[in-house]
Amino acid sequence: MASAGPVMDNLSVFYLVLVILWTSITVSCAGFLLLHHKTCALLRVRNIPLSLAACALLHCYWVSVQLGYAVGPVMPEDAEYWIMGTWLPLGMGLFHGSNWRFLWVAAHQKRLLTEEPAWNQPKKSWWEKLSHTGRVILVVGAGLVVQILVTVLMYIISRKWHSSWGIPGTQAQGSTHDERMHDMARGWEWWPTVFWQCIWAWIVAPIILWRSRHIRDTQGWRMQTMGCCLASLHATPMWLIALYVPAMEKVNQYFIPPQWIALSIMLIEIFTILLPCYETIRHRAQRSTVIANIGRWETKDEEHYQPSDTTNSIDSSSNSSSGSMLSMGALEHVLESNPTPLLQFSALRDFSGENIAFLTAVASWRDMLPGSGRRLSFNIAEKLVEDLNPNTDAVYSHFNRALRIYTDYISPSADFQVNLPSTIFRRLHAVFEIPARTIYGEKQGADLSTMWDTPRSMPSDGSEGVRVQYWGTIPADYDEGLFDEAEANIKYLVLTNTWSKFVKERRMSIASDLTGAHAVN
């Protein structure tokens, strides 16, 4: 232990005040994000709890470094080694794992445009069954185990922090306490902590930057991701320069070497916590404005909206009343006539493609139902399908299509779960969860007497193909109005979030094309 006392000068007071103020700001903003992350789409897709867990670990390291100037002389000589060997790698690992979610979401949203839904792509391995968060925790956990083992090994074999055991010749050099402390902060024992920092900052981060270069989202997530990647690049080089370049000794007296890493952590917290807070406040203000505009237009006569070709409707609206395109009637017309442009925008730009895909899937399922006004009854006795009347295959085809809508967009295991109120979700969950678990193998000990254990072709339409179907008892609560509340809820969510952005972008694109055409002429 050091015999010197803590440093209590003006700079120590500054660092202490900085710790109190910055911690108060980040904790308050983190609480704001947690309060709204379930109801705000741009926070929900980011998986804010994982990002905040990473920032919490990094912030603990940041606090210890900021206080290091003042209390460093009275701290145990090996404290910095253990803090930097555990808190920093774990925090960085969790953070860049959560940072990678941006690319994961972008890739999976793109699949809504290029591939069939999840039910046509069975998950074969345990790794594929894990969510993005599960994969991050598993990978980072494995890395942390390796990191701790290496950190302990380095501590055991080196005599820098203990003189009675270890490899001879590795003890700290110097005749005074300050000289020994100076030597303890350098050497091969620190390589594992530097190695992981370099991996994240100079390999993982550049890969994220490169793969993000063509993504243009509407939520500020790309800016956040790229800012976090750039924020870490200087940390390790400057830390090494501060340790090994003699000219930096004067700087180290007031700004200790680990503070270069702490500086990157502050930048990371700005982009990960403060920027999403700003985006959330801006999003809520814009949404309030959109809702007010919708309310004004929905109360006007239908003559303000004349259904026509989808693209022409949006295009011509720039020369007419702009608010008419912000009505529910305009959105429903696009969904019925040509939803593809809206799906492309929502998936590639707004990262909410599951909402449009859900609405189009429900519309397709409803088109399969018998004539309007007819109440369906699906309480079919349990017996072999061959013994049932010829209409049974059509009945089961309708139910299996609805079951796929549930597994793709509503089930908790869906890659992108639509955001429904708990009352609506519980109703759909009660109808579909047992059949979904039976078909997709998530329920152990399923009753094989109520299902086919081999694929069977569904003759109702060609889109069904040949794959395993549910043939058990159809729940009594299943009817043609089952998705009505969910559909209305998601439509309103799209209208107040994605639709206004889509209309705005279409108008900007048209204006740009017209400007280019005039310039050519």
Side-chain angles (χ1 to χ4, degrees), residues 20-42:
I20 295 174
L21 289 179
W22 188 247
T23 300
S24 301
I25 292 172
T26 53
V27 169
S28 300
C29 291
F32 175 83
L33 296 179
L34 288 175
L35 182 64
H36 294 93
H37 87 280
K38 288 187 177 181
T39 57
C40 184
L42 66 86

Side-chain angles (χ1 to χ4, degrees), residues 262-376:
L263 178 60
S264 72
I265 292 175
M266 282 192 72
L267 295 175
I268 285 173
E269 290 179 326
I270 289 174
F271 286 108
T272 306
I273 301 178
L274 272 64
L275 181 60
C277 283
Y278 166 76
E279 293 290 345
T280 301
I281 294 172
R282 187 169 68 94
H283 168 77
R284 289 165 64 87
Q286 292 176 345
R287 187 170 184 267
S288 298
T289 302
V290 169
I291 292 175
N293 291 335
I294 291 171
R296 285 195 296 268
W297 279 99
E298 291 290 350
T299 57
K300 294 187 177 182
D301 296 331
E302 292 295 328
E303 64 183 19
H304 287 281
Y305 175 69
Q306 300 293 334
S308 59
D309 176 74
T310 302
T311 304
N312 292 337
S313 297
I314 297 177
D315 295 356
S316 61
S317 67
S318 60
N319 298 322
S320 60
S321 299
S322 60
S324 62
M325 286 306 302
L326 299 179
S327 63
M328 181 65 77
L331 171 61
E332 290 179 341
H333 176 65
V334 170
L335 290 172
E336 292 172 3
S337 58
N338 184 18
T340 302
L342 180 58
L343 175 61
Q344 292 174 339
F345 173 84
S346 61
L348 301 179
R349 299 288 310 280
D350 203 46
F351 295 155
S352 59
E354 69 277 4
N355 291 332
I356 309 302
F358 169 77
L359 293 175
T360 55
V362 170
S364 177
W365 166 81
R366 189 173 286 114
D367 290 341
M368 295 176 60
L369 296 173
S372 60
R374 177 179 173 184
R375 192 72 177 174
L376 301 181

Side-chain angles (χ1 to χ4, degrees), residues 110-329:
K110 193 173 182 179
R111 292 182 186 177
L112 293 172
L113 308 176
T114 59
E115 298 181 8
E116 294 187 58
W119 52 262
N120 198 28
Q121 304 168 23
K123 298 177 180 179
K124 298 179 180 180
S125 67
W126 63 271
W127 177 258
E128 292 174 324
K129 293 179 180 179
L130 291 176
S131 65
H132 175 266
T133 302
R135 296 179 187 182
V136 169
I137 293 175
L138 184 62
V139 172
V140 174
L144 180 62
V145 170
V146 175
Q147 172 68 29
I148 290 178
L149 292 176
V150 174
T151 301
V152 172
L153 177 63
M154 293 293 186
Y155 186 83
I156 291 174
I157 65 177
S158 176
R159 291 192 174 189
K160 279 192 174 179
W161 300 284
H162 44 77
S163 58
S164 59
W165 37 279
I167 299 176
T170 59
Q171 60 270 16
Q173 304 297 322
S175 57
T176 65
H177 171 75
D178 290 341
E179 290 178 351
R180 288 194 299 271
M181 290 293 292
H182 182 275
D183 190 64
M184 284 180 185
R186 293 153 179 81
W188 51 267
E189 296 88 350
W190 297 87
W191 291 354
T193 58
V194 177
F195 172 78
W196 288 113
Q197 174 70 13
C198 286
I199 289 293
W200 292 120
W202 289 93
I203 296 180
V204 176
I207 291 175
I208 295 176
L209 287 172
W210 177 257
R211 294 181 61 180
S212 303
R213 67 192 187 280
H214 295 312
I215 302 175
R216 300 289 187 272
D217 68 292
T218 62
Q219 302 178 354
W221 198 1
R222 176 174 177 266
M223 179 186 296
Q224 171 190 331
T225 301
M226 298 184 71
C228 290
C229 291
L230 294 173
S232 301
L233 292 178
H234 77 278
T236 299
M238 289 305 302
W239 179 73
L240 292 173
I241 291 172
L243 286 176
Y244 293 103
V245 176
M248 292 292 292
E249 289 296 334
K250 292 184 179 180
V251 177
N252 295 343
Q253 295 177 10
Y254 308 100
F255 196 81
I256 61 178
Q259 284 185 292
W260 292 104
I261 300 175
L263 178 60
S264 72
I265 292 175
M266 282 192 72
L267 295 175
I268 285 173
E269 290 179 326
I270 289 174
F271 286 108
T272 306
I273 301 178
L274 272 64
L275 181 60
C277 283
Y278 166 76
E279 293 290 345
T280 301
I281 294 172
R282 187 169 68 94
H283 168 77
R284 289 165 64 87
Q286 292 176 345
R287 187 170 184 267
S288 298
T289 302
V290 169
I291 292 175
N293 291 335
I294 291 171
R296 285 195 296 268
W297 279 99
E298 291 290 350
T299 57
K300 294 187 177 182
D301 296 331
E302 292 295 328
E303 64 183 19
H304 287 281
Y305 175 69
Q306 300 293 334
S308 59
D309 176 74
T310 302
T311 304
N312 292 337
S313 297
I314 297 177
D315 295 356
S316 61
S317 67
S318 60
N319 298 322
S320 60
S321 299
S322 60
S324 62
M325 286 306 302
L326 299 179
S327 63
M328 181 65 77

Side-chain angles (χ1 to χ4, degrees), residues 404-454:
R404 291 177 193 128
I405 293 174
Y406 172 80
T407 56
D408 284 345
Y409 307 113
I410 300 174
S411 170
S413 61
D415 283 339
F416 294 101
Q417 183 186 24
V418 294
N419 192 10
L420 294 173
S422 58
T423 53
I424 299 176
F425 171 78
R426 283 196 295 267
R427 181 189 176 197
L428 296 173
H429 182 84
V431 173
F432 291 113
E433 187 61 19
I434 293 178
R437 290 182 179 181
T438 302
I439 287 296
Y440 294 102
E442 296 176 3
K443 180 179 180 180
Q444 300 297 324
D447 184 5
L448 297 182
S449 66
T450 64
M451 60 174 286
W452 286 86
D453 56 1
T454 57

